[in-house]
Amino acid sequence: SKWRVWGREDVRRTLKRRDPFSHKGSFGTGLLVAGSDEMPGCAILAGSAAMRVGIGKLMIGTTKYAASIVSPRLPEATYWQINHQSGEALRLPEGADAVAVGPGIADADFIERFLTEIWPKEIPLVLDAGALHPRNWTKRKAPTVITPHPGEMARLTGLKVEEIQRNRIKVASDFAVRNGMIVVLKGKDTVIALPDGTGFVNLTGNPGLAKGGSGDALTGMILGLVASEPDPVAAVANAVYLHGLCADELLEEESERAIMAGDISATIGRVLRSLAETEENGSY
Amino acid sequence: SKWRVWGREDVRRTLKRRDPFSHKGSFGTGLLVAGSDEMPGCAILAGSAAMRVGIGKLMIGTTKYAASIVSPRLPEATYWQINHQSGEALRLPEGADAVAVGPGIADADFIERFLTEIWPKEIPLVLDAGALHPRNWTKRKAPTVITPHPGEMARLTGLKVEEIQRNRIKVASDFAVRNGMIVVLKGKDTVIALPDGTGFVNLTGNPGLAKGGSGDALTGMILGLVASEPDPVAAVANAVYLHGLCADELLEEESERAIMAGDISATIGRVLRSLAETEENGSY
Amino acid sequence: SKWRVWGREDVRRTLKRRDPFSHKGSFGTGLLVAGSDEMPGCAILAGSAAMRVGIGKLMIGTTKYAASIVSPRLPEATYWQINHQSGEALRLPEGADAVAVGPGIADADFIERFLTEIWPKEIPLVLDAGALHPRNWTKRKAPTVITPHPGEMARLTGLKVEEIQRNRIKVASDFAVRNGMIVVLKGKDTVIALPDGTGFVNLTGNPGLAKGGSGDALTGMILGLVASEPDPVAAVANAVYLHGLCADELLEEESERAIMAGDISATIGRVLRSLAETEENGSY
Amino acid sequence: SKWRVWGREDVRRTLKRRDPFSHKGSFGTGLLVAGSDEMPGCAILAGSAAMRVGIGKLMIGTTKYAASIVSPRLPEATYWQINHQSGEALRLPEGADAVAVGPGIADADFIERFLTEIWPKEIPLVLDAGALHPRNWTKRKAPTVITPHPGEMARLTGLKVEEIQRNRIKVASDFAVRNGMIVVLKGKDTVIALPDGTGFVNLTGNPGLAKGGSGDALTGMILGLVASEPDPVAAVANAVYLHGLCADELLEEESERAIMAGDISATIGRVLRSLAETEENGSY
Ligand SMILES: Nc1ncnc2c1ncn2[C@@H]1O[C@H](COP(=O)(O)O)[C@@H](O)[C@H]1O
Ligand SMILES: Nc1ncnc2c1ncn2[C@@H]1O[C@H](COP(=O)(O)O)[C@@H](O)[C@H]1O
Ligand SMILES: Nc1ncnc2c1ncn2[C@@H]1O[C@H](COP(=O)(O)O)[C@@H](O)[C@H]1O
Ligand SMILES: Nc1ncnc2c1ncn2[C@@H]1O[C@H](COP(=O)(O)O)[C@@H](O)[C@H]1O
Ligand SMILES: [Mg+2]
Ligand SMILES: [Mg+2]
Ligand SMILES: [Mg+2]
Ligand SMILES: [Mg+2]
C-alpha cells in the first residue's frame, strides 16, 4: 500500500554520512524565525535542535529582546533582530537554504508579512505554531512542510479535533494533496502525509513529549535536516523519527514526567551514534 | 488514627502513569506567579520543578526584568510580564488549571491585588512565601494549599516559632480545619494537614535542604502535580515526598552542604524512574 | 612550634556536621559585595562557592547590570542592587552574619564608602581584591580576614613581591599581628596568619588555580564557612584547604591548563563527600 | 623535506608542563576582540577555548550588548566594552601579552581602526574572520597569525577557492613568506605555513567541525597558547592539533552531526589529560 511505517532501517538507508572533505557550506544555512518577547525560549529549543542534527549554519530571526535570551544558550548561531511591530518592509537576510517560521510567534500581522515575502522564494519552508492559520495557500515550487498538532489542524481545516483524531491519515493526506504540502500531523503515531497521496506513520516517541516546547524541537530538527539533506521527504520523516527516538532514549535515565524539551537536542548526538554504530562506514 | 506517614507505597499507589495517547493538554496548565527584581531566581527554581514533575504547560508571571533572567534557563515556559507597581487591574492570562503565587515576591500590594483577583476563581491555588501574610481568608471551593516554614506559620498564626515547633501537627491541623486549606508546615518531618482534620507526616529530606531556594522548588513541585494529577491531596503529599527524596538521592554523589536548590529539579527524573522501575506497567 | 600544616585531619575534626533539625537560618546569612560592569562574573564565582560550602542564605550586592548577569547562574541568591557612583549613603541590607567585599570591584570610592559603613559592625568581614588597598586599618572586634595574592600583599605593605615571597610566613604574620587580622597570603603553599602570631600553611592546590577567577572562588568559600561555622579560624583554614582540594580532585578528570574557576564550586560537593565517607557519623 | 605532519609526539615534546610555583601572571594575559550585536556568541566560543588551553587571564573586548551575553557564560574573564560606531580613538586596555581579533565582527571600519592601533605593538596578533580582508600588510616584529578558511583565503589573495584547494600548501606558504605571517589555512588537513617557507599539516579533526562556530574555538585556542607558551610556532600548531583532537574525542560519545562548537572547549581538559597520562612527569 502507499502508506507505511517509517522505521529504523529507513533512517539508516537515507540519512547521509558526512563527507570527510565537507565544510560548513556543505550542510546548508537555515533561517529560523521564532520566538517573541512572551515566548523567547522557542528559539532556543528549535535552534539547538537544528544544530544538533547537523546543519552547517543557523541564522535566527527574532525580536531584539528574544535574541538577548537565546544567544547565551546558542552562541553558534547568528542573529537577525526583527521588530514585529515595524511597518517597514522586512529585509530578509541572504543565503538561507531553508526556512522555518512560527514557534513562539503570536503576532499574526508579522507572520502575514513574513509569509508574503518568503512564499515566492524557491527554498524549502517549514511552518509551525503561529504560522499555522487558515490562509489562501498557493502551491509553491520548493517543498513546504506544515507541522500541526491536532488543535492546529482543526484551526487549519475547520474540522473538530475529534474528527481529525478519528481519521488522522485521511485528514492529513487530503490537506497535503490539496495544498501540495508535506503535512506532519503530530501526536502519538505522528502522520507524515505527502503531496502525492502517500505517506508514513512514525512509532517512536512517548508521553514525555506531551509538554510545552516539544514541538519546537521537532520544527528545529526538520529545519536542520531539510537544510542539510538532499531529499526533503526523507529529511522530514527522519526528523520525526529521531525526535521520538530521543524521547525514548531519555527514558533510559529519567522519567516521562521529567523530560523537558531542552533535553531532546542534548540527546541527538547519542541517538545518532547508536544508529550508526553497527554500520561499517563511519558515523553520521 | 487519622494521621500517618506518607510513604513510598503511597506515592506508587497514587502517582499516575502517563496515558500513551496523552498530549500536553492532558497534564494541565500551571500559572506560576513568582520572582521580582530582587529575587528573580525563585521563578527559575519553582518553574523547573513544576516542569520536571510533569506539568503540561507552564506560564510564568513575573516582572519584565525577572522574565529576562528566568527565560534563558526555562525556554519551555511562556511569560506574562507583570508590572508590580502599576495601578491598572491585573489581566490574568487565560487557561490556567492551577496557580501558585509567592516565591520571591516582597511587594505586599501586588500580592493583595493578585489574591483579590484569583481568590474567587475555581482553580487550585498554592500560596507560599510573599503570599503568606495574615489575611481574612474566606473559604474557597477549589483546593487551597499554603506552604509555610515555621517562621511564616508564626506570621500567619501570631504564635511563636517555638510554640509551633512543639505542636507542629496540632498547629497545622487547626489552621487547616479553620480555613479549609491544605497546610504544608515545612521543616524536618514536614506536616501535611488537611481541612478534615487528618493529615500526613513526611520523612524524606535532609539538612541539605536548609538553604535559600529549597522552598521555591517545593512550591513548583506542588503546582506541577496539582495541575496534572486528579487528586490534590495526593498531589501535595507526593510533591513533599519527592522533594525530600531528591535531596536524599543527591547525597549519593555529593554532600548536604553542597546541595543547591537548583539541583533538586535536576534529580526528579532519576528519582521518579527509580520509583517506577520495580513496577510492571511502565514509567511515570 | 606555633606554625604548622593544616591538613585533612584538621578539616575532619573541625568541620561541623549538619544538625538534622537545622533550617536555613541555622547556617547564617552572607552578604557578598562583588562584581561590577567590567567584571560581573566574580560574583558568580564567589557566590556559587559560598553556597556550595553550605551557607544558609546568600545576598549579593552588586551593580544592576552585574545582577542581571549573575542571577541566571545563581537563582538561589537574593540581590541588592548597588549604584557605585551614587553619592547617597549606602543602605546596607539587614541580617548579614558575615560579609565579603572586593572581587571584581575596581571603584576605590565605592569601596571606601562601603568599608566606612561596615567597619564598625560586629560581624566577620572578608576583604579581597578591590578592597585590598593600603588604609589606616583600625582593629575590629569581629574577625577580619584579608586574602591577598603576593601582588596585593605588596600593595598593602609597600614591600616588593620578591621580598614577600622570600618571607611569606613572616610578612603575613607581621601584618596579621599588627592589624589584628587573619591574613591569607595566597599562592603555592598558602599561608594563613592569625592575629596571635601563630598560623597554618596549606598544601592542597595546583597550578590549575593559576588563572583568573580562582581567588574569587576562595573568597566565596571563606564567606560561606565563616557565616555557617562557629570558629572563624577553622572556617578560613578549611576554606583554603577545600579550595585547593577541589583543584586536586579536578585533575582526576581533566588537566591543569583546562581548570576554570567555575569548576571549583562544582567539585565541592564531591570533595566534601569523600572527606566524610570514612566517618561513622553522617555527611557534611 | 621542509614540510611535515605535526603529530602527537610534537605536542608532547613542545607543550609546557605548568611550573608548581606559577601564578596567573605566569600564563599571560590575552585580549580577545570578538563578537558583536549580531554575532555575540563568537566571543563565548573563542573565550572559553582560550581559557581551557591554559591562559592566565583573559580580557574580552566586545560591544556592551555582546558583553551582557558573554559574561554569564564566561565569568572568569574581564570585559572591555567597545562602541564600534564611536569616532573616538580606541583606548586599548593595558597588559595584553597576545591579541586575537575578528570572530563575529562584521564592521570593517572598526576593524580598520583597531588594526591601525594594534599593528605597531610588539605583541603576538591573531587575525580571523572579520579581520581577514585584503590590506596593505606591513611586516610586524611580533608573530602575526592569520586563520582563513578557503573562502577567506580567496578574499585575501584574490584567487578562486578551487585554485586554493588544489594547492593548499603552496598558496598558504606563498602568503606566509610574502607577508611574514603564520598562515593557518583551515579545512580538512589544515595547513600551517611559516614565514620561512616551511610548515606543517594537521591530520586531526573531522566533519563534525564543519559547522558555524568551530573556527571561533580555534582562534581562542591559538590565542590561549600563544599567550601562555614561549614558542609561537609550536603554540599555533598545538592549537590546531588539539582543536581537531577534541572533535575526534567527541565522537566517542556522540555523532559528527551533533557536535557543536561549544562542545570543543568542554573537551580540552579530557584531551590534554589523555595526552599527559603516559608521561612520567605530571599533567599539562
Ligand atoms: N503521547 C505522545 N506520544 C508520542 N509523541 C507525542 C505525544 N504527545 C506529544 N508528542 C509529540 O510531541 C510533540 C508535541 O508538539 P507540540 O504540541 O507542538 O508541542 C509532537 O512532536 C508530538 O508528536
Ligand atoms: N533539616 C531539614 N530536614 C528536612 N527538610 C528540610 C530541612 N530543612 C529544610 N527542609 C526543607 O526545605 C524546604 C525549605 O523551605 P524554605 O524555608 O521555604 O526555603 C522545605 O521543604 C523544608 O521542609
Ligand atoms: N601554583 C599554584 N599552586 C597552588 N595554588 C595556586 C597556585 N597558583 C594560584 N593558586 C591559588 O589560586 C588562587 C589565586 O587567587 P587570585 O590570584 O586572587 O586569583 C589562590 O587561592 C592561590 O593560592
Ligand atoms: N571536514 C573537516 N575536517 C576536518 N576539520 C574541519 C572540517 N571542516 C571544518 N573543519 C575545521 O573546522 C574549523 C572551521 O572554521 P570556520 O570555517 O572558520 O568556522 C577549522 O578549524 C577547520 O579546519
Ligand atoms: Mg507546537
Ligand atoms: Mg520559602
Ligand atoms: Mg584575586
Ligand atoms: Mg570562521
Side-chain angles (χ1 to χ4, degrees), chain B residues 54-65:
Chain B
I55 207 167
K57 287 191 262 186
L58 181 65
M59 299 186 290
I60 298 183
T62 196
T63 65
K64 193 180 155 83
Y65 169 79

Side-chain angles (χ1 to χ4, degrees), chain C residues 253-264:
Chain C
E253 283 174 17
E254 49 172 320
S255 161
E256 287 176 2
R257 286 176 176 271
I259 291 177
M260 283 174 73
D263 303 342
I264 298 171

Side-chain angles (χ1 to χ4, degrees), chain B:
Chain B
S1 114
K2 303 186 303 180
W3 279 81
R4 65 178 183 85
V5 169
W6 184 264
R8 185 177 167 96
E9 287 316 311
D10 294 305
V11 182
R12 289 162 60 120
R13 179 175 46 81
T14 56
L15 194 64
K16 293 281 166 296
R17 312 284 162 154
R18 280 168 105 86
D19 172 4
F21 285 89
S22 58
H23 52 89
K24 67 185 162 195
S26 317
F27 302 108
T29 296
L31 172 62
L32 169 68
V33 179
S36 58
D37 292 10
E38 291 72 33
M39 295 179 275
C42 302
I44 296 178
L45 299 171
S48 308
M51 296 214 71
R52 292 283 181 198
V53 293
I55 207 167
K57 287 191 262 186
L58 181 65
M59 299 186 290
I60 298 183
T62 196
T63 65
K64 193 180 155 83
Y65 169 79
S68 78
I69 302 304
V70 178
S71 50
R73 295 278 307 261
L74 265 180
E76 293 87 353
T78 62
Y79 293 85
W80 169 44
Q81 297 186 358
I82 310 175
N83 185 347
H84 285 185
Q85 269 75 51
S86 155
E88 300 166 39
L90 285 168
R91 297 193 19 191
L92 269 58
E94 278 164 32
D97 298 305
V99 174
V101 56
I105 305 183
D107 184 332
D109 275 358
F110 167 72
I111 290 284
E112 186 57 36
R113 289 163 56 216
F114 184 78
L115 288 183
T116 304
E117 291 286 335
I118 206 78
W119 207 258
K121 297 209 195 295
E122 283 194 34
I123 43 177
L125 181 59
V126 186
L127 307 175
D128 182 31
L132 297 177
H133 283 276
R135 223 179 173 257
N136 196 347
W137 312 102
T138 56
K139 290 192 187 184
R140 302 179 68 242
K141 277 208 189 129
T144 310
V145 185
I146 61 169
T147 60
H149 57 55
E152 288 158 343
M153 195 66 184
R155 204 163 67 191
L156 284 174
T157 57
L159 298 172
K160 296 224 180 80
V161 167
E162 301 73 44
E163 294 173 85
I164 294 166
Q165 292 297 72
R166 262 197 311 269
N167 299 289
R168 287 171 58 84
I169 290 182
K170 182 169 170 17
V171 170
S173 188
D174 285 356
F175 199 92
V177 172
R178 187 166 350 110
N179 296 295
M181 291 173 172
I182 301 177
V183 175
V184 177
L185 179 56
K186 299 186 293 193
K188 181 169 161 46
D189 303 341
T190 290
V191 166
I192 301 153
L194 307 180
D196 67 0
T198 67
F200 310 103
V201 173
N202 177 64
L203 300 181
T204 59
N206 60 62
L209 292 170
K211 201 172 293 174
S214 306
D216 306 333
L218 177 64
T219 300
M221 292 174 75
I222 294 176
L223 174 66
L225 288 179
V226 165
S228 63
E229 293 277 289
D231 174 8
V233 169
V236 172
N238 286 339
V240 172
Y241 180 90
L242 291 170
H243 179 259
L245 194 61
C246 287
D248 294 342
E249 165 74 18
L250 282 166
L251 296 186
E252 293 300 311
E253 283 174 16
E254 49 170 321
S255 162
E256 288 177 1
R257 285 175 176 272
I259 291 176
M260 283 173 74
D263 302 343
I264 299 171
S265 321
T267 314
I268 293 174
R270 212 161 58 200
V271 155
L272 285 174
R273 193 176 192 284
S274 77
L275 275 170
E277 78 188 340
T278 51
E279 293 278 321
E280 47 293 330
N281 53 346
S283 92
Y284 291 110

